Amino acid sequence: MLVQSYNPFHHLMLSALVAAIPIILFLLCLTIFKMKGIYAALINLAVTFLISMFVFQLPFGEASGSVIQGAIQGIWPIGYIIVMAVWLYKISVETGKFDVLRASIASISQDQRLQLLLIGFCFNAFLEGAAGFGVPIAICAVLLVSLGFQPLQAAMLCLIANGASGAFGAIGIPVGVISTLNLAGHVSSMDVSRMTALTLPIINFTIPFLLILLIDGFKGIKEVWPAISVVSISYTVSQAFITLLMGPELADIIPPLLAMGLLALFLRKWQPRHIFLLNGQTVKIEKHTIGEVIKAWLPFYLLSIFVLVWSLPAFKNLFIPGGALDFTVLNFKIPGSSLISSINLISATGTAILLAGLTTIALTKSIDFKKGFSLLQTTVKDFWIPIVMICAILGIAKLMTYGGLTNALGEEVAKAGHIFPLLSPILGWIGVFMTGSVVNNNTLFAPIQATAAHILGAKPALFVAANTAGGVMAKLISPQSIAIASAAVGQTGNESVLTKMVLKYSVGLLAFVCLWTFVLSLLY
């Protein structure tokens, strides 16, 4: 906070109401006024700038510096990761590797319950980690339809399955963004990553069972429970292990690959007695050799290897002050302000993904660097608007933090006292429902959660983790997710039907997160 007081009206409720204007206006722009996200973000950036300056007395230089700092962090590292992740995915599609990869998964079993586990859950989670931004829901829903699932049914299943992976989409950005926010209590992305391991594993373990229940009832669970257990246990345990020890970057990369691989090996020795087919007919699937399948997974092997190296403490130590590569970290003061910003040229996770993409091109005959860079140019063109929107939202978050607006809101919501942990995930749920993004939700609401926790004497990382988990449950029914899923399966116009199909699961999972967060608040 760079102002003398976060209570300019000397009345906390009034000051908090004014501090809430940016958030309320942002939500109104997206819902009542039905603005595009980029317009809503830019308008609210301007409004927040004026409120922070003229009401909360943030000096012009500091206010301008806040916006610049937010924009820099929105581009680097967040935008950098987004562009590189989607670029790698586009390389996989362009080279034909992705088609082979999909066919290799679908051919493991003709039983459509097992295909749902492999594609709707495991592959969905992997694509969430590798690309995010609606890619997994669209691709997996279309693939399930091609295997005989009904369109809206496929969309519903993929949306529900995404609840197990939405917290760590696009190389862990929703949690990774926490470290850029300067939260109360000095909460880092690693702190939040570890705290999610107390809540998300329970949900992750349950969702595969829920998916089978939805298409074949308890009878289906009874018939294929060994396969469900392989997926649930391997995914849940490995993700918890990674989030506890390594952080969020690989939490949606290694666990789904491991679960998929173990299930494939398990199904070579075990198959259900009854092959379940939704329409009574098998679907012919193109077969590929083991060599072709191994080559098809190359981009994602490389992604995992490079990101794993980038997350090792020994590698990170190269970039700390005095480290061998500390000269690649550019630290500079933002002109006209007291704020410091930095750009990590090599240690940024985006660089690891960039190297995975370049290595894939070098090792693949069907694509050259000219085509690869053309795909990169297309990716930047496709995603510059979402990145500008993220920059604007980060600018809003910085203004609210440095201008004291977050402190005013945190003080006010903390008046809920010991009941606040029960309500904490609902803030996250509202944030994602309105913005369609766990990243944007954490950017807007994590500072408020951390401030409230700090005031209450609770663990700030717990409330930020609750904000993340609650937000993921809203991703199932956010208008953005519903629109993507409906369009992917050719059901544009039936968004309301799909929303009704998924709503009760979103609310049910949110209720669990609320109750469980309250229990955890008593223990921590």
Side-chain angles (χ1 to χ4, degrees):
M1 191 173 78
L2 301 177
V3 294
Q4 293 184 347
S5 173
Y6 56 81
N7 187 8
F9 297 103
H10 305 292
H11 187 287
L12 185 58
M13 180 177 289
L14 182 57
S15 296
L17 284 173
V18 174
I21 288 175
I23 293 174
I24 295 170
L25 181 59
F26 190 45
L27 299 182
L28 288 174
C29 286
L30 292 172
T31 54
I32 304 300
F33 304 130
K34 300 189 182 299
M35 287 185 180
K36 290 184 178 180
I38 181 65
Y39 299 140
L42 291 174
I43 288 172
N44 278 273
L45 178 61
V47 170
T48 309
F49 188 91
L50 295 174
I51 291 174
S52 65
M53 274 188 57
F54 295 109
V55 178
F56 286 80
Q57 303 301 307
L58 183 66
F60 176 79
E62 303 291 9
S64 300
S66 301
V67 175
I68 293 171
Q69 188 183 68
I72 290 172
Q73 292 176 350
I75 296 170
W76 201 287
I78 297 171
Y80 186 30
I81 293 173
I82 293 169
V83 169
M84 290 299 110
V86 177
W87 178 54
L88 186 67
Y89 163 71
K90 285 181 179 290
I91 291 172
S92 176
V93 173
E94 178 67 25
T95 57
K97 296 179 184 296
F98 195 76
D99 291 333
V100 177
L101 185 152
R102 288 189 299 182
S104 69
I105 297 170
S107 64
I108 292 173
S109 176
Q110 287 289 343
D111 189 299
Q112 292 186 302
R113 295 166 299 191
L114 303 180
Q115 290 176 347
L116 176 58
L117 291 176
L118 287 162
I119 296 167
F121 184 80
C122 295
F123 197 43
N124 186 328
F126 173 75
L127 289 177
E128 181 67 34
F133 294 91
V135 169
I137 294 170
I139 289 175
C140 293
V142 170
L143 187 52
L144 288 178
V145 170
S146 72
L147 293 172
F149 287 74
Q150 294 299 313
L152 286 176
Q153 178 191 44
M156 175 192 72
L157 293 169
C158 288
L159 286 166
I160 294 172
N162 201 243
S165 56
F168 305 106
I171 320 296
I173 293 178
V175 174
V177 72
I178 299 301
S179 289
T180 71
L181 301 177
N182 302 316
L183 300 183
H186 305 289
V187 181
S188 68
S189 58
M190 191 64 191
D191 296 329
V192 176
S193 178
R194 288 170 176 161
M195 193 57 68
T196 61
L198 297 177
T199 301
L200 293 180
I202 302 172
I203 295 169
N204 296 346
F205 184 86
T206 304
I207 284 180
F209 288 90
L210 175 60
L211 294 175
I212 301 305
L213 178 69
L214 290 174
I215 65 167
D216 197 28
F218 287 104
K219 177 182 72 70
I221 292 178
K222 182 179 179 180
E223 289 184 357
V224 297
W225 71 265
I228 306 174
S229 299
V230 168
V231 171
S232 287
I233 293 172
S234 59
Y235 181 87
T236 301
V237 172
S238 59
Q239 190 180 81
F241 178 84
I242 287 171
T243 54
L244 283 169
L245 300 182
M246 298 172 63
E249 291 87 357
L250 291 172
D252 275 351
I253 299 292
I254 293 177
L257 286 178
L258 178 64
M260 198 184 306
L262 290 177
L263 181 57
L265 290 174
F266 178 73
L267 293 178
R268 297 183 70 175
K269 299 293 184 181
W270 180 91
Q271 287 286 335
R273 292 181 182 179
H274 167 242
I275 300 299
F276 175 78
L277 301 170
L278 286 168
N279 57 12
Q281 295 180 338
T282 59
V283 177
K284 186 176 180 180
I285 300 169
E286 184 180 354
K287 297 287 185 178
H288 295 278
T289 66
I290 294 177
E292 289 173 332
V293 173
I294 291 174
K295 290 179 181 178
W297 282 97
L298 176 66
F300 305 109
Y301 297 147
L302 292 170
L303 170 68
S304 301
I305 292 169
F306 279 111
V307 174
L308 179 61
V309 171
W310 255 243
S311 66
L312 293 175
F315 183 81
K316 291 182 177 180
N317 287 339
L318 296 174
F319 304 93
I320 63 175
L325 297 176
D326 69 337
F327 64 91
T328 65
V329 180
L330 307 180
N331 296 302
F332 54 92
K333 183 179 179 181
I334 298 174
S337 75
S338 62
L339 300 175
I340 304 294
S341 195
S342 64
I343 295 177
N344 304 312
L345 296 176
I346 296 178
S347 61
T349 303
T351 303
I353 311 170
L354 170 63
L355 291 175
L358 293 174
T359 307
T360 299
I361 294 172
L363 296 176
T364 305
K365 295 180 179 179
S366 58
I367 189 172
D368 56 23
F369 284 100
K370 182 179 180 181
K371 181 60 180 178
F373 289 122
S374 176
L375 290 174
L376 178 57
Q377 185 179 13
T378 300
T379 305
V380 173
K381 183 178 179 181
D382 290 344
F383 279 86
W384 77 268
I385 290 179
I387 291 171
V388 170
M389 180 178 171
I390 289 171
C391 290
I393 292 173
L394 275 167
I396 293 169
K398 296 293 183 181
L399 286 167
M400 292 183 67
T401 298
Y402 296 137
L405 284 75
T406 296
N407 289 69
L409 286 169
E411 286 272 4
E412 186 61 28
V413 299
K415 288 183 178 179
H418 296 298
I419 200 69
F420 181 73
L422 192 66
L423 307 175
S424 173
I426 297 176
L427 279 179
W429 190 93
I430 292 171
V432 172
F433 179 78
M434 296 302 183
T435 68
S437 167
V438 186
V439 179
N440 293 340
N441 163 60
N442 272 347
T443 303
L444 289 172
F445 289 112
I448 298 171
Q449 300 272 13
T451 301
H454 191 66
I455 293 167
L456 291 170
K459 201 172 183 67
L462 171 62
F463 285 13
V464 178
N467 192 73
T468 305
V472 172
M473 301 313 120
K475 198 173 180 187
L476 277 61
I477 58 164
S478 74
Q480 180 176 306
S481 296
I482 293 293
I484 290 171
S486 300
V489 297
Q491 293 295 310
T492 299
N494 283 328
E495 288 84 2
S496 61
V497 177
L498 181 58
T499 300
K500 290 177 182 178
M501 294 171 68
V502 184
L503 179 60
K504 60 184 175 182
Y505 303 105
S506 174
V507 173
L509 290 169
L510 173 65
F512 165 75
V513 175
C514 289
L515 292 171
W516 185 241
T517 300
F518 182 74
V519 171
L520 291 175
S521 71
L522 300 177
L523 301 175
Y524 286 87

